Amino acid sequence: MSLSKERKLELLNECKVCKCTKCPELVENRTNTVLGEGNPQADLVFLGEAPGRDEDKEGRPFVGRAGKLLDNVLSYYGWDRTDVYICNILKCRPPGNRNPSPEEAANCRPYLDKQLEIVSPKWIVWLGAVAAQNLLGTETPIGKMRGEVYEYKGAKVIFTYHPAYLLRNPD
Ligand code: URA
């Protein structure tokens, strides 16, 4: 009998992510790991960088100010969180919300890849420059990558500004 996507994600969380000790600084400072949420059957995944303070507290992605903006973007298209799947490159909060280091992103990459394999979306909206640079090993500014379609793990990828950046630069 094959397991549902929901159950596979639960097992990934319980057996691997929650017990992960690969990044000592993150482990020491985390309250909760944050795997992701939404609809694992969805064709569309929104991928952020890492949990912030609110996400670390609640164990859910994008629940702070950036999350409210993401909710607004979703509702502009007539969607809510149950229509898409939302996750981050890092499953633990970097202290002080600093950018994830390349090492931390590499440590967490197997969890992200497994998660994407389970959800197997058609499209990934990759939020933010750090995320983009981590994936492609590039320094290309996000503004230049917008509008291009990339590919990752069988899904088409488009990059756009991170909601936290848009909050700081509303124009
Ligand atoms: N920023 C992110 O990249 N992810 C979150 O979950 C929250 C803020």
Side-chain angles (χ1 to χ4, degrees):
M1 188 189 69
S2 83
L3 298 175
S4 68
K5 290 185 178 189
E6 285 82 355
R7 185 67 191 132
K8 286 182 189 168
L9 289 168
E10 270 170 24
L11 289 172
L12 174 64
N13 199 30
E14 287 160 18
C15 302
K16 303 272 186 201
V17 173
C18 289
K19 294 183 179 157
C20 183
T21 56
K22 287 189 214 171
C23 307
E25 193 193 359
L26 305 194
V27 174
E28 211 171 287
N29 288 288
R30 78 181 174 211
T31 314
N32 289 295
T33 55
V34 182
L35 182 69
E37 74 173 24
N39 181 357
Q41 322 294 336
D43 285 338
L44 182 59
V45 163
F46 283 83
L47 179 60
E49 290 176 354
R53 193 188 48 199
D54 297 312
E55 291 76 22
D56 172 71
K57 217 155 111 194
E58 287 197 33
R60 297 174 53 216
F62 283 100
V63 290
R65 281 182 71 220
K68 301 277 171 299
L69 182 54
L70 182 59
D71 285 338
N72 288 342
V73 170
L74 291 176
S75 88
Y76 177 85
Y77 290 101
W79 298 325
D80 63 28
R81 282 176 185 239
T82 61
D83 296 308
V84 298
Y85 188 78
I86 303 172
C87 59
N88 287 300
I89 291 184
L90 289 200
K91 311 308 181 199
C92 295
R93 179 195 182 205
N97 294 356
R98 63 165 169 72
N99 284 338
S101 73
E103 221 181 15
E104 290 161 350
N107 285 343
C108 230
R109 178 63 63 83
Y111 306 139
L112 172 65
D113 286 353
K114 186 73 200 165
Q115 186 172 32
L116 292 176
E117 187 191 310
I118 294 169
V119 177
S120 64
K122 292 201 172 94
W123 290 90
I124 300 172
V125 178
W126 208 291
L127 303 167
V130 174
Q133 289 160 358
N134 270 325
L135 171 72
L136 299 174
T138 172
E139 299 283 306
T140 309
I142 194 84
K144 286 220 164 111
M145 297 171 82
R146 280 176 80 218
E148 303 283 334
V149 179
Y150 296 80
E151 191 149 334
Y152 190 71
K153 302 282 165 202
K156 296 206 178 348
V157 176
I158 52 174
F159 293 98
T160 194
Y161 296 109
H162 192 284
Y165 172 84
L166 296 176
L167 285 170
R168 291 193 303 273
N169 302 276
D171 290 344

